[in-house]
Protein backbone atom coordinates (compact mmCIF):
# COMPACT_ATOMS: atom_id res chain seq x y z
CA UNK A 1 0.00 0.00 0.00
CA UNK A 2 1.17 3.51 -0.84
CA UNK A 3 0.04 6.46 1.30
CA UNK A 4 -0.03 10.20 0.61
CA UNK A 5 1.53 12.27 3.41
CA UNK A 6 1.86 16.05 3.09
CA UNK A 7 2.70 16.10 -0.60
CA UNK A 8 4.58 12.79 -0.85
CA UNK A 9 3.45 9.35 -1.89
CA UNK A 10 5.24 6.82 0.28
CA UNK A 11 5.23 3.09 0.92
CA UNK A 12 3.18 2.46 4.05
CA UNK A 13 6.35 1.46 5.94
CA UNK A 14 7.76 4.97 5.42
CA UNK A 15 4.56 6.91 6.15
CA UNK A 16 4.95 8.62 9.53
CA UNK A 17 3.70 11.62 11.51
CA UNK A 18 5.20 13.57 14.38
CA UNK A 19 4.71 12.21 17.89
CA UNK A 20 3.66 15.80 18.71
CA UNK A 21 0.85 15.84 16.15
CA UNK A 22 -2.22 16.92 18.10
CA UNK A 23 -4.32 14.57 16.01
CA UNK A 24 -2.40 11.76 17.73
CA UNK A 25 -2.01 13.40 21.16
CA UNK A 26 -5.48 14.87 21.63
CA UNK A 27 -7.68 13.45 18.87
CA UNK A 28 -7.80 16.73 16.95
CA UNK A 29 -8.26 15.20 13.56
CA UNK A 30 -11.00 14.69 11.00
CA UNK A 31 -11.51 12.32 8.10
CA UNK A 32 -13.81 11.38 5.26
CA UNK A 33 -14.23 7.88 3.88
CA UNK A 34 -15.46 7.54 0.31
CA UNK A 35 -15.41 5.15 -2.58
CA UNK A 36 -13.77 5.29 -6.00
CA UNK A 37 -15.73 3.87 -8.93
CA UNK A 38 -13.55 3.29 -12.00
CA UNK A 39 -11.25 6.12 -10.96
CA UNK A 40 -14.00 8.57 -9.98
CA UNK A 41 -14.78 9.53 -6.36
CA UNK A 42 -18.50 9.43 -5.55
CA UNK A 43 -20.09 12.43 -3.78
CA UNK A 44 -16.64 13.97 -3.37
CA UNK A 45 -17.87 17.58 -3.15
CA UNK A 46 -20.23 16.65 -0.32
CA UNK A 47 -17.46 14.88 1.60
CA UNK A 48 -15.03 17.77 1.19
CA UNK A 49 -17.69 20.29 2.17
CA UNK A 50 -18.34 18.46 5.45
CA UNK A 51 -14.62 18.15 6.09
CA UNK A 52 -14.04 21.86 5.44
CA UNK A 53 -16.83 22.96 7.79
CA UNK A 54 -15.70 20.51 10.47
CA UNK A 55 -12.11 21.72 10.23
CA UNK A 56 -13.24 25.32 10.62
CA UNK A 57 -15.26 24.48 13.73
CA UNK A 58 -12.38 22.49 15.26
CA UNK A 59 -9.85 25.23 14.52
CA UNK A 60 -7.80 23.59 11.77
CA UNK A 61 -6.88 25.82 8.84
CA UNK A 62 -7.41 23.59 5.83
CA UNK A 63 -8.38 24.10 2.19
CA UNK A 64 -8.04 21.92 -0.88
CA UNK A 65 -9.71 22.34 -4.27
CA UNK A 66 -11.55 19.54 -6.04
CA UNK A 67 -8.88 19.65 -8.74
CA UNK A 68 -6.09 19.21 -6.18
CA UNK A 69 -7.95 16.35 -4.51
CA UNK A 70 -8.47 14.54 -7.80
CA UNK A 71 -4.76 14.96 -8.62
CA UNK A 72 -3.79 13.29 -5.32
CA UNK A 73 -6.29 10.51 -5.92
CA UNK A 74 -5.01 9.92 -9.45
CA UNK A 75 -1.43 9.65 -8.19
CA UNK A 76 -2.44 7.26 -5.40
CA UNK A 77 -4.47 5.09 -7.76
CA UNK A 78 -1.49 4.79 -10.08
CA UNK A 79 0.87 3.97 -7.21
CA UNK A 80 -1.50 1.35 -5.77
CA UNK A 81 -2.64 -0.04 -9.13
CA UNK A 82 -6.32 0.57 -8.35
CA UNK A 83 -9.37 2.03 -10.09
CA UNK A 84 -12.06 0.92 -7.63
CA UNK A 85 -10.94 1.72 -4.13
CA UNK A 86 -11.65 2.57 -0.50
CA UNK A 87 -10.27 6.02 0.39
CA UNK A 88 -9.75 7.70 3.75
CA UNK A 89 -8.93 11.42 3.44
CA UNK A 90 -7.50 12.40 6.81
CA UNK A 91 -6.63 15.87 8.19
CA UNK A 92 -5.10 16.17 11.65
CA UNK A 93 -4.14 19.33 13.52
CA UNK A 94 -0.41 18.90 12.98
CA UNK A 95 2.52 19.14 15.35
CA UNK A 96 2.16 21.37 18.39
CA UNK A 97 3.58 21.70 21.86
CA UNK A 98 2.89 19.47 24.82
CA UNK A 99 -0.46 20.80 26.02
CA UNK A 100 -3.67 22.05 24.47
CA UNK A 101 -3.64 25.26 22.44
CA UNK A 102 -6.42 27.77 21.90
CA UNK A 103 -5.34 29.19 18.55
CA UNK A 104 -5.89 27.96 15.01
CA UNK A 105 -3.74 25.09 13.73
CA UNK A 106 -2.13 26.46 10.58
CA UNK A 107 0.07 23.51 9.49
CA UNK A 108 -2.21 20.46 9.48
CA UNK A 109 -1.08 16.98 8.51
CA UNK A 110 -2.79 15.58 5.43
CA UNK A 111 -2.77 11.80 5.00
CA UNK A 112 -4.67 9.93 2.29
CA UNK A 113 -5.05 6.16 2.54
CA UNK A 114 -6.22 3.98 -0.32
CA UNK A 115 -6.86 0.25 -0.42
CA UNK A 116 -8.80 -2.31 -2.47
CA UNK A 117 -12.49 -2.52 -1.74
CA UNK A 118 -13.48 -5.17 0.80
CA UNK A 119 -16.00 -7.87 -0.06
CA UNK A 120 -19.41 -6.19 -0.06
CA UNK A 121 -22.16 -7.88 1.97
CA UNK A 122 -25.49 -8.51 0.29
CA UNK A 123 -27.13 -8.24 3.73
CA UNK A 124 -26.22 -8.11 7.41
CA UNK A 125 -27.48 -9.08 10.81
CA UNK A 126 -27.58 -6.47 13.57
CA UNK A 127 -27.46 -6.33 17.35
CA UNK A 128 -28.58 -3.63 19.73
CA UNK A 129 -25.47 -2.63 21.66
CA UNK A 130 -25.41 -2.50 25.44
CA UNK A 131 -22.85 0.31 25.20
CA UNK A 132 -24.68 3.60 24.69
CA UNK A 133 -23.78 6.17 22.04
CA UNK A 134 -21.63 8.90 23.50
CA UNK A 135 -22.72 12.48 23.03
CA UNK A 136 -20.90 14.58 20.40
CA UNK A 137 -17.75 16.40 21.52
CA UNK A 138 -19.18 19.69 20.25
CA UNK A 139 -22.62 20.91 19.25
CA UNK A 140 -22.83 18.24 16.57
CA UNK A 141 -20.97 15.07 15.70
CA UNK A 142 -17.95 15.37 13.46
CA UNK A 143 -16.27 12.48 11.66
CA UNK A 144 -13.27 12.77 13.92
CA UNK A 145 -10.45 10.79 15.51
CA UNK A 146 -12.62 10.34 18.63
CA UNK A 147 -13.47 6.70 17.91
CA UNK A 148 -13.19 5.02 21.31
CA UNK A 149 -16.96 4.62 21.58
CA UNK A 150 -17.04 2.89 18.17
CA UNK A 151 -14.01 0.71 18.96
CA UNK A 152 -15.49 -0.52 22.24
CA UNK A 153 -18.78 -1.21 20.49
CA UNK A 154 -16.96 -3.30 17.87
CA UNK A 155 -15.39 -5.37 20.66
CA UNK A 156 -18.89 -6.06 21.95
CA UNK A 157 -19.61 -7.88 18.66
CA UNK A 158 -16.67 -10.29 18.97
CA UNK A 159 -19.13 -13.22 18.77
CA UNK A 160 -20.54 -11.96 15.44
CA UNK A 161 -17.88 -9.82 13.74
CA UNK A 162 -19.78 -9.57 10.43
CA UNK A 163 -22.83 -8.03 12.10
CA UNK A 164 -23.55 -4.34 12.57
CA UNK A 165 -24.04 -2.93 16.05
CA UNK A 166 -26.83 -0.42 16.62
CA UNK A 167 -26.33 2.24 19.27
CA UNK A 168 -29.02 3.60 21.55
CA UNK A 169 -28.66 7.05 23.11
CA UNK A 170 -28.36 7.39 26.88
CA UNK A 171 -32.13 8.07 26.87
CA UNK A 172 -32.83 4.82 25.02
CA UNK A 173 -33.57 6.22 21.57
CA UNK A 174 -32.28 4.55 18.40
CA UNK A 175 -29.16 6.30 17.14
CA UNK A 176 -26.91 4.77 14.46
CA UNK A 177 -24.70 1.84 13.59
CA UNK A 178 -21.03 1.58 14.50
CA UNK A 179 -20.10 2.57 10.92
CA UNK A 180 -23.48 3.32 9.38
CA UNK A 181 -26.73 5.24 9.52
CA UNK A 182 -29.95 3.39 10.33
CA UNK A 183 -33.24 3.30 8.37
CA UNK A 184 -36.37 1.16 8.52
CA UNK A 185 -39.64 0.89 6.62
CA UNK A 186 -43.18 0.60 7.94
CA UNK A 187 -46.17 0.52 5.59
CA UNK A 188 -44.32 2.37 2.82
CA UNK A 189 -42.83 5.13 4.99
CA UNK A 190 -39.11 5.26 5.75
CA UNK A 191 -37.99 6.23 9.25
CA UNK A 192 -34.55 7.27 10.48
CA UNK A 193 -33.23 8.76 13.73
CA UNK A 194 -33.08 12.53 13.93
CA UNK A 195 -29.79 14.41 14.06
CA UNK A 196 -30.94 15.60 17.50
CA UNK A 197 -29.92 12.15 18.81
CA UNK A 198 -26.30 13.18 18.22
CA UNK A 199 -25.65 10.93 15.23
CA UNK A 200 -23.33 11.72 12.35
CA UNK A 201 -25.07 13.41 9.44
CA UNK A 202 -23.71 10.90 6.96
CA UNK A 203 -23.09 11.97 3.37
CA UNK A 204 -24.69 8.73 2.17
CA UNK A 205 -27.55 9.24 4.65
CA UNK A 206 -28.35 12.60 3.07
CA UNK A 207 -28.01 11.20 -0.44
CA UNK A 208 -30.35 8.27 0.32
CA UNK A 209 -32.95 10.62 1.84
CA UNK A 210 -32.78 12.68 -1.35
CA UNK A 211 -33.24 9.56 -3.50
CA UNK A 212 -36.26 8.50 -1.44
CA UNK A 213 -37.85 11.94 -1.74
CA UNK A 214 -37.27 11.94 -5.51
CA UNK A 215 -39.07 8.59 -5.65
CA UNK A 216 -41.98 10.03 -3.67
CA UNK A 217 -41.32 7.86 -0.62
CA UNK A 218 -42.19 9.61 2.68
CA UNK A 219 -39.23 9.99 5.05
CA UNK A 220 -39.72 10.72 8.76
CA UNK A 221 -36.85 11.77 11.03
CA UNK A 222 -37.45 11.65 14.77
CA UNK A 223 -36.89 10.07 18.17
CA UNK A 224 -37.69 6.36 18.07
CA UNK A 225 -37.30 3.36 20.36
CA UNK A 226 -36.67 -0.33 19.79
CA UNK A 227 -40.43 -0.86 19.74
CA UNK A 228 -40.70 0.94 16.38
CA UNK A 229 -37.74 -1.00 15.01
CA UNK A 230 -39.20 -4.34 16.13
CA UNK A 231 -42.42 -3.54 14.26
CA UNK A 232 -40.68 -2.56 11.01
CA UNK A 233 -41.32 -4.30 7.69
CA UNK A 234 -37.70 -3.97 6.60
CA UNK A 235 -34.48 -2.44 7.93
CA UNK A 236 -31.36 -1.22 6.17
CA UNK A 237 -28.17 0.69 6.92
CA UNK A 238 -26.07 2.99 4.76
CA UNK A 239 -22.47 4.10 4.45
CA UNK A 240 -20.23 5.39 1.70
CA UNK A 241 -18.36 2.13 1.10
CA UNK A 242 -21.14 -0.47 1.36
CA UNK A 243 -23.90 1.81 0.02
CA UNK A 244 -27.33 0.40 1.03
CA UNK A 245 -27.26 -2.86 3.03
CA UNK A 246 -30.46 -4.69 4.07
CA UNK A 247 -30.63 -5.96 7.64
CA UNK A 248 -32.15 -9.44 7.84
CA UNK A 249 -32.44 -9.64 11.63
CA UNK A 250 -31.94 -7.61 14.80
CA UNK A 251 -31.36 -10.20 17.51
CA UNK A 252 -34.31 -12.62 17.05
CA UNK A 253 -36.55 -10.23 15.07
CA UNK A 254 -36.49 -11.12 11.38
CA UNK A 255 -37.14 -8.68 8.53
CA UNK A 256 -38.08 -9.06 4.90
CA UNK A 257 -35.94 -7.73 2.06
CA UNK A 258 -38.54 -5.85 0.05
CA UNK A 259 -38.95 -3.22 -2.61
CA UNK A 260 -37.76 -0.09 -0.78
CA UNK A 261 -34.17 -1.16 -0.15
CA UNK A 262 -34.01 -2.93 -3.52
CA UNK A 263 -35.24 0.20 -5.27
CA UNK A 264 -32.75 2.33 -3.39
CA UNK A 265 -29.87 0.10 -4.37
CA UNK A 266 -30.88 0.35 -8.02
CA UNK A 267 -31.22 4.13 -7.81
CA UNK A 268 -27.84 4.38 -6.08
CA UNK A 269 -26.21 2.28 -8.78
CA UNK A 270 -27.83 4.43 -11.48
CA UNK A 271 -26.32 7.54 -9.88
CA UNK A 272 -22.91 5.85 -9.78
CA UNK A 273 -23.24 4.87 -13.45
CA UNK A 274 -24.10 8.47 -14.37
CA UNK A 275 -20.90 9.57 -12.61
Amino acid sequence: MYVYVNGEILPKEQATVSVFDHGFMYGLGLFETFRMYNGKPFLLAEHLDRLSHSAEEVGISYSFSLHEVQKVLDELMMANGLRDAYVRWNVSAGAGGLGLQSGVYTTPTLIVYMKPLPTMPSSKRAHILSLRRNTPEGEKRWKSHHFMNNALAKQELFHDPQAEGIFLTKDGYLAEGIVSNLFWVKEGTVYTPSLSTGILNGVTRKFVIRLLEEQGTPVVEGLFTRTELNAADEVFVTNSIQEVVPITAVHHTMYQMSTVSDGLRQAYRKAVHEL
Side-chain angles (χ1 to χ4, degrees), residues 131-243:
L131 179 68
R132 295 302 172 101
R133 191 58 165 136
N134 61 345
T135 55
E137 293 80 21
E139 291 185 3
K140 60 184 177 183
R141 190 173 299 279
W142 301 305
K143 199 170 181 68
S144 75
H145 287 191
H146 289 266
F147 243 57
M148 184 67 76
N149 193 223
N150 304 64
L152 292 175
K154 190 65 175 178
Q155 291 180 19
E156 191 176 319
L157 296 179
F158 72 93
H159 63 289
D160 196 359
Q162 301 307 313
E164 176 63 307
I166 297 174
F167 281 112
L168 302 178
T169 69
K170 64 181 179 63
D171 296 320
Y173 294 115
L174 293 164
E176 59 189 334
I178 298 174
V179 292
S180 64
N181 285 117
L182 173 67
F183 294 81
W184 65 95
V185 185
K186 182 65 176 178
E187 296 177 351
T189 297
V190 175
Y191 297 85
T192 191
S194 165
L195 297 181
S196 66
T197 60
I199 62 174
L200 180 72
N201 190 11
V203 168
T204 304
R205 175 186 185 272
K206 291 191 290 185
F207 182 66
V208 162
I209 289 174
R210 189 165 82 234
L211 287 178
L212 288 166
E213 291 173 342
E214 289 173 356
Q215 294 173 358
T217 302
V219 180
V220 178
E221 301 178 59
L223 300 177
F224 306 106
T225 66
R226 291 180 63 177
T227 301
E228 283 93 344
L229 189 64
N230 290 340
D233 299 323
E234 63 174 309
V235 180
F236 59 92
V237 293
T238 63
N239 70 29
S240 294
I241 302 301
Q242 298 178 352
E243 303 173 351

Side-chain angles (χ1 to χ4, degrees), residues 59-191:
I60 298 175
S61 179
Y62 167 80
S63 63
F64 234 66
S65 70
L66 284 170
H67 175 74
E68 291 170 315
V69 171
Q70 187 65 60
K71 184 174 183 294
V72 171
L73 294 174
D74 288 343
E75 292 173 356
L76 261 185
M77 281 189 295
M78 182 174 295
N80 286 296
L82 297 172
R83 295 292 288 170
D84 297 304
Y86 173 117
V87 179
R88 172 170 164 145
W89 191 278
N90 200 102
V91 178
S92 69
L98 191 58
L100 296 174
Q101 72 177 50
S102 57
V104 175
Y105 290 90
T106 57
T107 55
T109 300
L110 173 61
I111 306 172
V112 186
Y113 308 84
M114 182 179 288
K115 68 177 184 179
L117 290 169
T119 301
M120 297 300 165
S122 59
S123 63
K124 280 188 172 183
R125 301 170 301 279
H127 301 281
I128 301 294
L129 297 161
S130 60
L131 179 68
R132 295 302 172 101
R133 191 58 165 136
N134 61 345
T135 55
E137 293 80 21
E139 291 185 3
K140 60 184 177 183
R141 190 173 299 279
W142 301 305
K143 199 170 181 68
S144 75
H145 287 191
H146 289 266
F147 243 57
M148 184 67 76
N149 193 223
N150 304 64
L152 292 175
K154 190 65 175 178
Q155 291 180 19
E156 191 176 319
L157 296 179
F158 72 93
H159 63 289
D160 196 359
Q162 301 307 313
E164 176 63 307
I166 297 174
F167 281 112
L168 302 178
T169 69
K170 64 181 179 63
D171 296 320
Y173 294 115
L174 293 164
E176 59 189 334
I178 298 174
V179 292
S180 64
N181 285 117
L182 173 67
F183 294 81
W184 65 95
V185 185
K186 182 65 176 178
E187 296 177 351
T189 297
V190 175
Y191 297 85

